[in-house]
Amino acid sequence: MLTEHTIEVRVRYQETDAQGRVHHANYITYFELARTEMLRAGGFNYKRMEEEGLLLVVRDVQCRYHLPAEFDDLLLVTVKAVKAKGARIELNYEIRRDDEMIVEGSTLLACITREGKPTRIPAVLRMD
């Protein structure tokens, strides 16, 4: 499994609030974009995994806000895999504008079947 990946996100107008700043909920979307692109860059096909009946669901998400981002800012979103074994994947995130820390966060993903039962993550995603 690829353990670190960075993407660029240009803040779109519709992602901002009336003050012109990124609405807090959109940072979670940026986390998901980085996570999905890390899996893709590592050669993993998430869509195929779902077609085979396995899902990665967010069990926990944490977000710490340091500075606001604004419309048209170019953000670097980095995701780092911390742990991936059993039925769980732990990931950390940093969102930066140049050298400024905007947001830090983490997610805990659980692998489940379509019936909602926990199951081991696919071997290609494990960090044993």
Side-chain angles (χ1 to χ4, degrees):
M1 175 171 151
L2 186 62
T3 58
E4 184 173 334
H5 191 68
T6 300
I7 64 168
E8 289 184 339
V9 173
R10 176 79 61 185
V11 176
R12 295 171 291 190
Y13 186 78
Q14 70 268 22
E15 296 168 338
T16 62
D17 58 20
Q19 299 165 345
R21 296 178 171 183
V22 172
H23 185 273
H24 65 276
N26 285 311
Y27 293 109
I28 307 302
T29 299
Y30 299 161
F31 291 174
E32 186 167 353
L33 285 169
R35 180 173 67 245
T36 301
E37 291 306 315
M38 179 177 74
L39 293 173
R40 186 185 326 276
F44 184 74
N45 189 317
Y46 187 76
K47 184 176 180 179
R48 186 172 8 153
M49 184 185 85
E50 284 194 345
E51 289 168 351
E52 294 171 0
L54 296 178
L55 307 167
L56 291 176
V57 296
V58 176
R59 183 175 177 270
D60 185 47
V61 63
Q62 295 183 4
C63 196
R64 290 171 298 286
Y65 305 97
H66 297 279
L67 293 170
E70 299 176 343
F71 168 64
D72 208 39
D73 281 352
L74 183 61
L75 305 176
L76 294 177
V77 185
T78 300
V79 56
K80 296 178 185 178
V82 176
K83 188 175 181 182
K85 64 186 244 184
R88 299 177 177 188
I89 301 174
E90 296 177 31
L91 302 162
N92 289 338
Y93 305 86
E94 289 184 352
I95 299 178
R96 294 180 175 273
R97 178 183 50 230
D98 299 320
D99 292 330
E100 296 178 305
M101 178 68 72
I102 304 297
V103 169
E104 293 178 278
S106 63
T107 56
L108 176 60
L109 305 179
C111 187
I112 62 171
T113 64
R114 287 222 176 267
E115 295 74 34
K117 296 187 180 208
T119 189
R120 287 180 61 84
I121 57 176
V124 68
L125 296 179
R126 292 186 202 134
M127 298 171 61
D128 295 322

